[in-house]
Amino acid sequence: MSQNETRQLGDSGIQVPKLTFGGNVFGWTVDQPTSFSLLDALVEKGLWFIDTADVYSRWAPGNKGGESETIIGNWLKQSGKRDRIVLATKVGMELSPEKQGLKPQYIRQAVEDSLRRLQTDYIDLYQAHRDDEDTPLAETLAAFDSLIKEGKVRAIGASNYCAERLQEALDTSEKQGLARYETLQPEYNLYDRQGYESGLEEVAKRNGLGVINYYSLASGFLSGKYRSKEDAGKSQRGQGVVEKYLNPRGLKILSALDDIADSHDATPTQVALAWQIARPGITAPIVSATSLQQLDDLAKATQLMLSKQEIAELDQASAW
């Protein structure tokens, strides 16, 4: 991937491809050998920005958190490809009752745990996984700032903050001369637009933040995999997907995706991602895959250019 096909994460100086790979699948829906083959393929296909979190994948039976980071770390050790990827992880979600939140002492412990699991001495992007209203923003940001000064972290970001708190955090950094959040990780896709567009988008654009949105395919709905109630059985999360998205608006979005995909000899997945990549302010939507075939589908989305007319059609079909 040539330099002009990368984008910068906020003002961090860190360049990334137009898609982010979501590492929540490692140690959950894919085992370590499959994870290694996916990671190798990501580097080959130019999708070398990998986002994970210390809590992935605590929710899976038998897991306790840290599984995704551990697998990535084992791959880094075996492959020697640390300098070929940009690595993001997160802190703050509950690993256990005493391991959660954004208190400075806990951030300090959590980053060491992540570095050990990842088998690296630095994290490119370290993100607050969610807001911690019980801890003053200045304390959290001072802790992150010291990690950057020590070279353990290159840049910091915020996930799951509301617009007001995100702006407050940015103002706090400026007033106190501390490192600022360079990125925002919100939920955003063609169906779930309102939460981001009704406040967060303005904060991100005004402050020049990079945006790496999650659920960019609406848990698989925008791939066109779920088109009837019977399709709920296609995956573990199918029932929830059908209940949330299979309605007149969801079907209208799928219909627009189908039409545009047909005219480009593309897939609904590629069109849904191309719409996001083209949106001003979005840096690199987060996507996941569990097979090399799915990875091919995702990689092609970075090459798909939609016309203004096609973007307008998708905007209209998904209007909220």
Side-chain angles (χ1 to χ4, degrees), residues 15-54:
Q15 296 288 330
V16 295
K18 290 188 274 191
L19 285 176
T20 312
F21 189 82
N24 59 324
V25 292
F26 303 140
W28 174 32
T29 47
V30 291
D31 59 15
Q32 181 160 293
T34 310
S35 300
F36 279 22
S37 66
L38 285 169
L39 285 158
D40 285 330
L42 285 166
V43 173
E44 293 312 309
K45 291 181 186 303
L47 300 178
W48 31 263
F49 181 27
I50 295 151
D51 174 76
T52 186
D54 57 4

Side-chain angles (χ1 to χ4, degrees), residues 64 67 77 87 165 202 282:
K64 58 183 191 298
E67 289 80 13
K77 185 180 181 187
L87 185 55
R165 286 280 288 180
E202 175 56 33
I282 296 287

